[in-house]
Amino acid sequence: MSTAELVPFFEGPLQQMRELERQLHAQEIEAELAKPPAKACCGGGCGCGSKLQLMVRQEDVPRVAQLMQAEWLAAVEREGTGGLVPLGTPVAEGAEPPCPACGFVGPLQAGACGDCGLQLE
């Protein structure tokens, strides 16, 4: 497959990117690892760790995103921090939406979650 057919989906450390690539291949999703473009800070000596990009076909992006979300939700369940509301769940009119980080339902305090402090406004 030519890398011209692929788009960058995710960037991270070598081990994590290899594991994601392996998982995608197991799901019969074509993926390759590539060197990301140089960043302004990476002139040498900046302390950035080596990273790779996970490249997938444009048409596979929604499927890859869905697999990553399912993996994240499974990790949340394993850790016992369940009770989070999946993205896109409708909120009743007049009700407070849950915090996307911790699931807390309640009014914001200075634009942040009243439980974990995530800045939302």
Side-chain angles (χ1 to χ4, degrees):
M1 174 188 335
S2 160
T3 55
E5 300 173 18
L6 303 174
V7 297
F9 180 80
F10 197 72
E11 187 174 308
L14 173 66
Q15 186 175 356
Q16 181 184 18
M17 294 301 97
R18 283 194 174 157
E19 177 61 22
L20 282 171
E21 181 185 36
R22 184 194 63 72
Q23 290 173 350
L24 294 179
H25 288 168
Q27 295 290 322
E28 298 181 1
I29 297 173
E30 294 187 52
E32 290 182 12
L33 299 179
K35 182 178 178 179
K39 294 179 179 49
C41 69
C42 293
C46 65
C48 293
S50 297
K51 293 189 178 179
L52 290 175
Q53 284 185 334
L54 178 70
M55 309 287 287
V56 298
R57 292 170 147 183
Q58 181 68 43
E59 59 266 22
D60 288 331
V61 167
R63 189 170 163 207
V64 174
Q66 185 178 32
L67 287 169
M68 290 185 75
Q69 182 182 27
E71 184 177 310
W72 181 81
L73 288 171
V76 166
E77 197 62 37
R78 279 192 309 273
E79 293 294 322
T81 54
L84 296 179
V85 178
L87 295 176
T89 302
V91 177
E93 182 141 353
E96 294 286 338
C99 172
C102 69
F104 175 75
V105 176
L108 298 179
Q109 296 177 0
C113 171
D115 186 43
C116 71
L118 176 67
Q119 193 65 42
L120 296 165
E121 289 185 337

